[in-house]
Structures are given as C-alpha cells and as structure tokens.
Amino acid sequence: MVLLTREQLEDRLAALHRASLELVSDLSLDAVLDRIAQLAREQANAKYAALGVVDEQGDLGKFIAVGMSQEDIRRMPHPPVGRGLLGIFHDEKRTVRVSEISDDPRSIGFPKGHPIMHSFLGVPILRGDQLLGQIYLTDKIDYFEFTAKDEYVLETLAAYAAVAITNARLYEELVRRDGELCQRNEDLKLLNDVAAALTSSLDVDEILDKTLNLVMSYLDVEGGEIFLKEEDEQELSLALHRG
C-alpha cells in the first residue's frame, strides 16, 4: 500500500470539510446519521462502516450500518447492542484502532450470521465530555489495518458529527415543542369557545347544543353525546345525542 502524501491528506481533509458543511446544515437526524456513516467509509476506504448513537441512559439507541447487503442484515438475529469493542467508548472515550478484531482481548466475537471482520477503527462522537455516539470502521480495503492518517480523518469527521447530531436533535426538540404549543393553543381555543357558549344563553338546550357542536368539530367526529346528573341523583342521564 502507498501511504498518503501530505498533499493527498490535505485533499482528503478539504473534501471532508466540504461534505461536512453540507452535513451540519441537514436537520433530519436519520439522514445525518446515514450521511456520516457513508462519509466515514469513503474517507477511510473501508469495506464496512457503522454509526451508533447512545440514548439518555447511555445505551445504544440507534445503529446505522453501511456496506452490508440486505441479505447480511437479514441473517443477523438482532442489530449490535454495544458490547465488546463497540462498548468500550462508554468508559474510555478515545479512539481505538486494532489490526485484527479476533486477537483483541476486548472482542467478544460476532453474533450468528454476522460477516466476519478483521481490522477495526472506532472513534467516539463527543460533545465536551458527553458521549453522543461512535463511528466504527472495519476491514480497510487493500491494507491489513487502518492507518494513523485514517484515524486523524475520522476524528475530524467525528467532531463535525457531534455538531450535526446536536443540531438535528435541537431541531427535533423544537418541532416537538412547537407541535405541543400548537395543540395547547387549540385546546385553549376550545375551552374559550365552550365558555363563550355557556355565557351566551340561559337556555340549557341551546348551551348543550353549542357545546356538543364545538367538541365534535374539534375532535373531528361524527357522533357525540352529553350526559347530565341532577343534584339529587347518583346516575347520569342522556341529555343530548347526535350522529
């Protein structure tokens, strides 16, 4: 294998920088994760790449694999759960590079149906001291192991990935909160409309009719009923039915 020259490394980093600028502008988390894994595989010339994202409990919540065929994926009983070499980043939070996975004492082997892999390069995705996820590469093409320059390039990508994942998560949270706020405003509008109906007339039948209309329209249903309870009664009686 011919090692990268300084110029070649600079070209790789420039291409990575251009791609990563597009990466951090994408606000779809799933699209971001898939693009990161693809970039990692391309930049390090790896046969396989994967990206794991940890959840709030620190467990492997999402796992994106690139390079495996659908048949490979179907043969596995379940996706990786973050054990062995994939789980060391919770404690060490540093780059791991090995030439043969099976020879490393931290490896626990592969699950049934998983392709056999050899060389390994893993980099944590960090925001400060917080572990957001990990990027994994296996089986360097045309060489028996990943190089120090591959490691440097992947660590650079991991820094971009941390920003991209953080941005995507913030956007998802903003969308969720915006949806909750819109729903709350709709709820308040219904309450205000019902209150207006209650104070607009002294006729009980008219009040019930307006109230049921408002609630049915809000819930977008075709049928509804109102039950009332007299002061000296324990059971409810049907006061209005529609639909």
Side-chain angles (χ1 to χ4, degrees):
M1 175 187 174
V2 179
L3 296 179
L4 293 177
T5 65
R6 179 185 180 89
E7 290 75 16
Q8 288 173 322
L9 178 60
E10 289 176 348
D11 288 342
R12 276 176 71 179
L13 290 175
L16 178 61
H17 178 68
R18 288 192 297 270
S20 297
L21 288 177
E22 299 176 7
L23 180 70
V24 297
S25 67
D26 198 327
L27 296 176
S28 169
L29 182 57
D30 288 341
V32 164
L33 299 181
D34 184 72
R35 183 59 178 143
I36 292 170
Q38 294 281 3
L39 277 171
R41 183 187 181 207
E42 294 167 5
Q43 291 299 320
N45 198 28
K47 185 176 182 180
Y48 303 106
L51 188 145
V53 178
V54 299
D55 55 24
E56 293 180 356
Q57 289 72 42
D59 299 321
L60 198 59
K62 283 180 176 286
F63 191 84
I64 308 295
V66 176
M68 289 188 189
S69 67
Q70 289 300 315
E71 183 61 30
D72 289 334
I73 296 173
R74 280 194 295 269
R75 279 198 295 264
M76 293 186 292
H78 56 78
V81 294
R83 299 174 58 199
L85 280 174
L86 302 189
I88 62 177
F89 299 102
H90 290 87
D91 299 321
E92 299 186 16
K93 296 181 181 177
R94 61 179 179 84
T95 300
V96 176
R97 178 161 56 99
V98 298
S99 58
E100 180 55 55
I101 295 174
S102 61
D103 293 340
D104 193 284
R106 296 164 294 188
S107 173
I108 58 172
F110 299 100
K112 182 179 179 180
H114 194 288
I116 301 302
M117 299 174 177
H118 300 282
S119 54
F120 176 89
L121 175 60
V123 174
I125 302 173
L126 300 171
R127 185 180 64 190
D129 293 331
Q130 180 187 3
L131 180 67
L132 300 179
Q134 305 94 252
I135 304 175
Y136 316 105
L137 298 176
T138 57
D139 289 6
K140 173 83 171 175
I141 297 175
D142 296 332
Y143 200 57
F144 72 96
E145 68 175 357
F146 292 97
T147 67
K149 290 181 179 178
D150 292 327
E151 183 176 320
Y152 177 67
V153 169
L154 198 60
E155 287 173 346
T156 303
L157 177 59
Y160 284 112
V163 177
I165 291 173
T166 300
N167 287 347
R169 283 180 167 175
L170 287 174
Y171 178 72
E172 286 188 345
E173 179 66 14
L174 286 173
V175 170
R176 183 187 66 80
R177 290 187 179 183
D178 183 63
E180 290 180 351
L181 182 59
C182 289
Q183 183 63 55
R184 190 170 301 171
N185 287 337
E186 290 293 324
D187 294 343
L188 290 174
K189 182 180 183 302
L190 173 65
L191 293 175
N192 288 333
D193 290 344
V194 171
L198 292 174
T199 57
S200 65
S201 174
L202 296 178
D203 183 80
V204 174
D205 290 337
E206 183 181 350
I207 291 173
L208 296 180
D209 184 70
K210 288 182 178 179
T211 300
L212 187 57
N213 281 338
L214 287 168
V215 174
M216 288 176 59
S217 176
Y218 175 76
L219 297 176
D220 194 22
V221 297
E222 297 181 355
E225 296 175 335
I226 293 179
F227 289 81
L228 297 178
K229 184 172 76 72
E230 300 294 340
E231 291 184 5
D232 57 348
E233 297 290 337
Q234 295 299 317
E235 296 182 355
L236 297 172
S237 59
L238 179 64
L240 182 62
H241 168 85
R242 181 168 292 119

